[in-house]
Amino acid sequence: MPAKDIFHDTVKIGLEKEGWEITHDPMYLDFGGVEIYIDLGAEKLIAAERKGEKIAVEVKSFISGSAISEFHKALGQFINYRTALSQKEPDRIMYLAVPNTIYETFFKLELIQLIIKTQNIKLIVYNPNREEIAQWIN
């Protein structure tokens, strides 16, 4: 099993504060002989008469020296995980969780915005200091 990102528990706490129930930590998928460990799986009941939402979250910290290298790795993981998830649990939505400081700087760059849009990447922006979800970007 891969190591947890340093902000794994921060995002987990932030999701729980918003009423999400953590159902998988990590979320394991076996697809075509490839073992996949997505950081978190969560569910939230919208209302008694509505079906519950299900998400999977890959947490990234972007603390190394190269944001673009971390982005390349995160993007590859996200696409692989989302693809496997679409086949194994098509009702679960895949999100990439990133710190608010990186979102407000690196993720605002034109190329990064274009990639997020064209690749349909859903983001959770989290505040690591407050252990809260700052923004959901669909």
Side-chain angles (χ1 to χ4, degrees), residues 21-38:
E21 177 186 347
I22 305 302
T23 57
H24 302 79
D25 184 6
M27 183 173 184
Y28 172 78
L29 296 175
D30 183 349
F31 189 84
V34 177
E35 291 185 337
I36 295 172
Y37 293 91
I38 302 171

Side-chain angles (χ1 to χ4, degrees), residues 3-4 17 34 43 47 64 69 78 80-81 91 103 121 135:
K4 291 181 180 179
K17 284 181 178 179
V34 177
E43 295 182 18
S64 80
S69 291
F78 180 88
N80 290 342
Y81 296 174
D91 60 334
Y103 178 75
I121 298 171
Q135 194 174 0

Side-chain angles (χ1 to χ4, degrees), residues 71 75 78-79 82 113-122:
F71 181 70
L75 180 63
F78 180 88
I79 291 170
R82 182 178 62 190
Q113 286 290 304
L114 180 61
I115 292 168
I116 289 167
K117 181 179 178 185
T118 60
Q119 296 302 314
N120 192 28
I121 298 171
K122 297 181 183 320

Side-chain angles (χ1 to χ4, degrees), residues 72-121:
H72 289 160
K73 182 179 175 185
L75 180 63
Q77 283 180 305
F78 180 88
I79 291 170
N80 290 342
Y81 296 174
R82 182 178 62 190
T83 301
L85 199 60
S86 73
Q87 300 302 304
K88 293 286 190 170
E89 291 199 37
D91 60 334
R92 195 174 292 273
I93 300 167
M94 184 75 207
Y95 281 89
L96 178 64
V98 299
N100 58 343
T101 53
I102 293 299
Y103 178 75
E104 293 301 329
T105 57
F106 180 75
F107 274 71
K108 294 291 185 171
L109 298 174
E110 183 178 0
L111 176 62
I112 306 308
Q113 286 290 304
L114 180 61
I115 292 168
I116 289 167
K117 181 179 178 185
T118 60
Q119 296 302 314
N120 192 28
I121 298 171

